Amino acid sequence: MADAVNGVVAVAVETPQHTGLGAPLDYSADALPPGTLVRVPLGRRDVPGIVWDRPAEAEAPPELRPVREVLAAMPPLGASWRQLVAFAAAYYQRGLGELALAVLPPELRKLDDVQLARRVARLRKPAVPARAARRAGLAAATAAAEAADAQHGVQPAADTPEAAPAFPPAEAGPPAAAEAPPLNDEQQAAVDAIGAAAGTYLLHGVTGSGKTEVYLHAAEAALAAGRQVLVMVPEINLTPQLEARLAQRFAGRRLVALHSALTPAQRLKHWLLAHLGEADLVLGTRLAVFASLPRLGLIVADEEHDPSFKQQEGARYSARDLAVYRGHLEGVPVVLGSATPSLETWQRVQEGRYTRLALSQRIGGGVLPRVRLFDMNTLPRQRGSAAPALAPALVDAVAERIERGEQSLLFLNRRGYAPVLHCTACGWKSGCPHCSAWRVFHKGDRSLRCHHCGFSERVPRACPDCGNLDIAPLGRGTERLEEQIAQLLPGARVARIDADTTRLKGSLEAQLGAVHAGDVDVLVGTQMIAKGHDFRRITLVAAVNPDSALFASDFRAPERLFALLMQAAGRAGRDAQQAARSEMWVQSWHPQHALYAALRKHDYEAFAASQLEERQSAGLPPFSSLALLRAEAREASIAQGFLRAASELAQAMADEAGVTLYPPVPPPVARVADVDRLQMLVESPSRVALQRLLAAWLPQLHALRSVHKGVLRWAVDVDPLAI
Ligand code: ADP
Ligand code: ZN
Ligand code: ZN
């Protein structure tokens, strides 16, 4: 390696973006392998940095500042980790050093070498009791320790081997701690395929079809081959069961969690355990895709379609997409699990780039609940009042469940009591003075709260405009639904779970515990309750008002609604006896809609085919690539001016490259916290063309921005979720 030629090293540091997209900077130092953590002077400060690969032919400037401190206590970050980070930075248009440092645990940057050495030593101690280690197979544990030690050397050769061999077929690994059920044929075929060759696999099966069991078996094979396993989930608190199952099945192994709800100290510890090769399994959210895993052998992304895999601030990366890239880079299988794959994934299956592994039955013969579409148009409408939010027939169905000792789950994607208050005399509405949005009426604390900027006030006694005392809620949120159910079904034990009732740490767990214990008859909530939880006693699931997604401007809204409804349906009747009397209700004013027709038949493929056809004719992803340039300023004209100038800069390049620049438009909520927002869509049928344009264009935008310093913020979102 030529990285340390002439005592010059390149160091990735967090530079402000306008100084040239954060390319590594040169410093003088004795030979240091790439991936080494250092501290270097930048301006008048010392900052953390990572030694980066330096092209041999690069010329060194005559005067270089020296590296101040080398954190040699930790093995360097491997070559494939650096490649992943470099790819992500380039693809999502962020500074290399900015991204590389942002994905490390924040605590790591604060330590000096002595402090780091102490922590590393502590973590290297065998934390597994001897008996458990024996149970888990000493061979694998020793191999792990050796692999980690091999990394510990200071020579550049300490890098992670790039391409790892696929794990050996069905060698007897360490016996699993908890009894694993024998797989059915489809599960076995899936496990065999995953173990046989690296590649990207779509594990396609409804809730309860045994996907998790496939992950566990594939993980077991990888662990037996001495490899580490990365399992990613959209939101950690929605999947306590998965963590429990992993911990149970692999009791002799070291499992660590990586997500943003950990304390900084925990996050550092878990990250280090993974990096040192001490942890065998990492269970995490999107940020875990950047975990350093020197022995990586398998990546699983459960619920791969979930929007939470996309980071929504800073580097707006898709952890799902990066997982696929990482698998490819390191030559390890990537398993994407879903009942309703993203259309991007589905299209890649159609093109033969991903392999679909289908699990077509629910384990134990459970069927999916019957879908009942309730036509809201059939309800009598009383003059002057909105139609009731709940069909009497649905209320009856809930009452039946209560009599039988079963549970019902009703979800509505709107928290609070009512989305807006209004005055019947003058038409005043509870707008937010700082945003182009209504303030939501929360009855519990009698507040009017803006869900965009947080501005909150006590509900006024009378209309602020005309003094009328008759101000009334319009529409319904979960709080009102809860109240309504309690009125309609006196004596029923109703619980509500949404962002308002789960603000306190531990409250979600406590409320879920009550549902599991059978202390709740009717569970009301936002879509957060429709995902993930394994509720055993629920035999009725109802979507109270899902129609709005059918006509939303967001082109992914139907895809998301279908996934949500399928996932919600999966909550009901997980055991075979209950399944027979389980139902999913959908209250709709458009019951004939094709989406609901497909849902009724649980027909993902028909839905996907029709959506893909629409996307293709509209030139939308996955048939095109998008980027969104967002700008915000206190005055809309500044954002407008910036985007216009940006557009002019790119127009010639875009025309030549076959990239379309659309005029700037306001997003659905244009003004938030007194800041006006605008966005400009950039689209191309070719991902490569779009990438090339962005790479050439963005440095010019950094220069352009300095004109508006302090009053304008802008960012680019590559592969945005919504446009
Ligand atoms: P999914 O992840 O698709 O929802 P799971 O893997 O959780 O499905 O399986 C659903 C239930 O069936 C779980 O309780 C699991 O332990 C059980 N299960 C899975 N596969 C088998 C099998 N082959 N034999 C018996 N039980 C199984
Ligand atoms: Zn009024
Ligand atoms: Zn507001």
Side-chain angles (χ1 to χ4, degrees):
M1 287 203 189
D3 314 272
V5 177
N6 303 330
V8 181
V9 292
V11 179
V13 290
E14 224 164 21
T15 45
Q17 274 207 328
H18 60 264
T19 60
L21 271 177
L25 305 175
D26 282 340
Y27 289 90
S28 68
D30 292 335
L32 285 175
T36 304
L37 287 188
V38 291
R39 293 189 78 81
V40 292
L42 184 69
R44 264 175 278 156
R45 296 178 307 142
D46 274 1
V47 296
I50 303 167
V51 176
W52 217 260
D53 312 77
R54 189 169 187 281
E57 66 276 14
E59 267 177 47
E63 267 182 62
L64 286 176
R65 302 175 78 179
V67 166
R68 284 252 204 270
E69 187 184 1
V70 179
L71 286 89
M74 187 185 94
L77 291 149
S80 51
W81 184 89
R82 298 196 305 275
Q83 228 171 312
L84 173 70
V85 164
F87 170 79
Y91 187 84
Y92 294 104
Q93 308 293 331
R94 307 299 297 193
L96 173 66
E98 179 208 348
L99 181 78
L101 288 154
V103 301
L104 294 178
E107 282 293 292
L108 188 58
R109 314 193 209 169
K110 300 183 190 156
L111 303 181
D112 63 30
D113 198 35
V114 177
Q115 294 166 318
L116 183 61
R118 215 177 296 138
R119 277 174 180 71
V120 168
R122 212 181 302 146
L123 297 178
R124 280 205 197 275
K125 280 195 208 116
V128 191
R131 203 152 44 90
R134 214 172 306 128
R135 211 172 357 137
L138 263 182
T142 316
E146 277 166 5
D149 282 347
Q151 282 254 321
H152 198 44
V154 198
Q155 313 92 326
D159 278 335
T160 314
E162 218 86 309
F167 22 93
E171 236 178 72
E179 263 323 289
L183 299 178
N184 66 30
D185 291 349
E186 286 180 327
Q187 287 175 312
Q188 190 62 55
V191 172
D192 290 346
I194 295 161
T200 305
Y201 299 92
L202 166 64
L203 186 61
H204 190 193
V206 298
T207 310
S209 61
K211 294 188 296 297
T212 306
E213 206 50 53
V214 170
Y215 306 152
L216 295 175
H217 275 78
E220 206 172 312
L223 293 170
R227 314 295 293 272
Q228 291 172 301
V229 175
L230 170 62
V231 179
M232 295 197 303
V233 293
E235 283 159 82
I236 208 85
N237 57 7
L238 295 186
T239 47
Q241 284 113 348
L242 180 57
E243 186 165 357
R245 273 171 82 179
L246 282 167
Q248 239 175 37
R249 185 66 59 83
F250 301 114
R253 301 284 192 172
R254 204 150 188 190
L255 165 67
V256 297
L258 269 185
H259 51 82
S260 55
L262 297 175
T263 65
Q266 281 172 329
R267 190 159 152 204
L268 173 65
K269 179 180 168 190
H270 294 185
W271 185 91
L272 273 174
L273 283 167
H275 175 60
L276 298 172
E278 296 283 336
D280 297 309
L281 294 119
V282 172
L283 173 64
T285 51
R286 58 179 178 260
L287 61 85
V289 78
F290 289 110
S292 166
L293 294 158
R295 296 182 284 114
L296 181 64
L298 172 72
I299 307 177
V300 172
D302 190 29
E303 308 290 1
E304 67 88 26
H305 62 276
D306 197 292
S308 299
F309 279 122
K310 182 96 165 37
Q311 168 81 14
Q312 291 293 1
E313 57 197 32
R316 293 165 177 256
Y317 62 87
S318 159
R320 190 258 329 270
D321 295 349
L322 287 180
V324 171
Y325 177 84
R326 187 171 186 177
H328 188 69
L329 185 68
E330 304 202 35
V332 306
V334 178
V335 182
L336 308 176
S338 181
T340 50
S342 65
L343 291 174
E344 281 78 3
T345 294
W346 190 246
Q347 178 60 21
R348 284 182 190 139
V349 169
Q350 307 307 308
E351 291 165 2
R353 291 158 67 191
Y354 297 176
T355 307
R356 175 174 179 253
L357 305 168
L359 302 180
S360 57
Q361 311 283 320
R362 282 186 123 183
I363 302 287
V367 289
L368 280 169
R370 191 156 64 100
V371 175
R372 295 191 56 163
L373 284 164
F374 187 86
D375 185 351
M376 295 299 272
N377 300 295
T378 62
L379 290 177
R381 241 175 227 262
Q382 294 140 317
R383 269 183 67 85
S385 78
L390 291 172
L394 173 57
V395 178
D396 291 346
V398 173
E400 259 175 52
R401 263 65 193 188
I402 297 175
E403 263 167 46
R404 287 206 297 258
E406 297 165 4
Q407 296 173 317
S408 303
L409 184 161
L410 275 59
F411 68 96
L412 176 62
N413 204 18
R414 188 171 256 169
R415 66 195 166 85
Y417 189 84
V420 55
L421 276 187
H422 87 137
C423 167
T424 49
C426 77
W428 170 86
K429 283 184 174 176
S430 57
C432 175
H434 306 292
C435 305
S436 48
W438 305 121
R439 272 181 300 162
V440 176
F441 174 39
H442 289 260
K443 199 174 181 183
D445 58 5
R446 301 213 54 84
S447 68
L448 278 182
R449 228 185 287 157
C450 174
H451 288 184
H452 296 277
C453 73
F455 180 69
S456 177
E457 277 179 335
R458 271 191 75 79
V459 174
R461 243 173 256 286
C463 171
D465 280 3
C466 76
N468 173 26
L469 289 175
D470 190 15
I471 45 177
L474 268 184
R476 268 172 203 84
T478 47
E479 213 181 335
R480 194 173 191 182
L481 183 62
E482 178 190 18
E483 181 185 277
Q484 200 176 9
I485 288 276
Q487 282 166 0
L488 290 167
L489 298 167
R493 295 166 303 170
V494 185
R496 171 165 59 95
I497 296 187
D498 56 29
D500 293 320
T501 68
T502 55
R503 231 174 274 284
L504 296 175
K505 202 169 162 65
S507 57
L508 174 64
E509 292 74 10
Q511 292 176 64
L512 292 174
V515 180
H516 287 296
D519 298 338
V520 170
D521 298 316
V522 186
L523 178 58
V524 170
T526 46
Q527 59 178 7
M528 71 189 275
I529 59 170
K531 292 180 175 187
H533 304 286
D534 189 358
F535 296 125
R536 294 276 159 191
R537 298 165 204 249
I538 285 182
T539 60
L540 184 149
V541 173
V544 172
N545 185 18
D547 280 347
S548 60
L550 299 178
F551 310 104
S553 60
D554 175 3
F555 72 93
R556 282 196 177 88
E559 175 184 354
R560 222 169 279 157
L561 175 62
F562 190 82
L564 176 68
L565 294 176
M566 283 283 284
Q567 219 165 338
R571 301 297 122 227
R574 292 198 59 166
D575 89 49
Q577 289 167 0
Q578 286 182 353
R581 52 176 193 277
S582 289
E583 288 178 347
M584 158 121 197
W585 284 62
V586 177
Q587 298 195 132
S588 173
W589 273 271
H590 306 274
Q592 312 308 330
H593 196 283
L595 185 151
Y596 294 137
L599 178 74
R600 179 179 241 157
K601 290 185 260 164
H602 306 293
D603 192 349
Y604 168 81
E605 294 185 36
F607 171 73
S610 77
Q611 281 289 305
L612 283 174
E613 207 171 297
E614 278 179 32
R615 297 271 185 96
Q616 185 153 32
S617 61
L620 287 167
F623 302 99
S624 70
S625 284
L626 307 178
L628 211 51
L629 182 60
R630 305 173 201 271
E632 52 180 59
R634 284 194 182 261
E635 285 162 58
S637 60
I638 293 178
Q640 181 76 254
F642 172 78
L643 289 182
R644 267 214 216 96
S647 183
E648 277 164 25
L649 277 175
Q651 196 59 61
M653 273 190 290
D655 290 344
E656 198 173 317
V659 177
T660 308
L661 304 171
Y662 287 87
V665 293
V669 179
R671 192 171 175 79
V672 171
D674 296 316
V675 171
D676 270 306
R677 311 191 293 179
L678 275 173
Q679 59 186 35
M680 188 172 120
L681 183 65
V682 186
E683 180 264 330
S684 174
S686 157
R687 186 178 296 271
V688 177
L690 179 67
Q691 278 287 319
R692 235 183 254 139
L693 177 95
L694 293 176
W697 186 29
L698 291 196
Q700 302 179 31
L701 293 187
H702 287 288
L704 184 62
R705 180 209 174 265
S706 46
V707 179
H708 301 292
K709 214 167 177 180
V711 292
L712 175 91
R713 278 161 46 107
W714 70 272
V716 67
D717 186 353
V718 179
D719 301 334
L721 281 184
I723 56 173

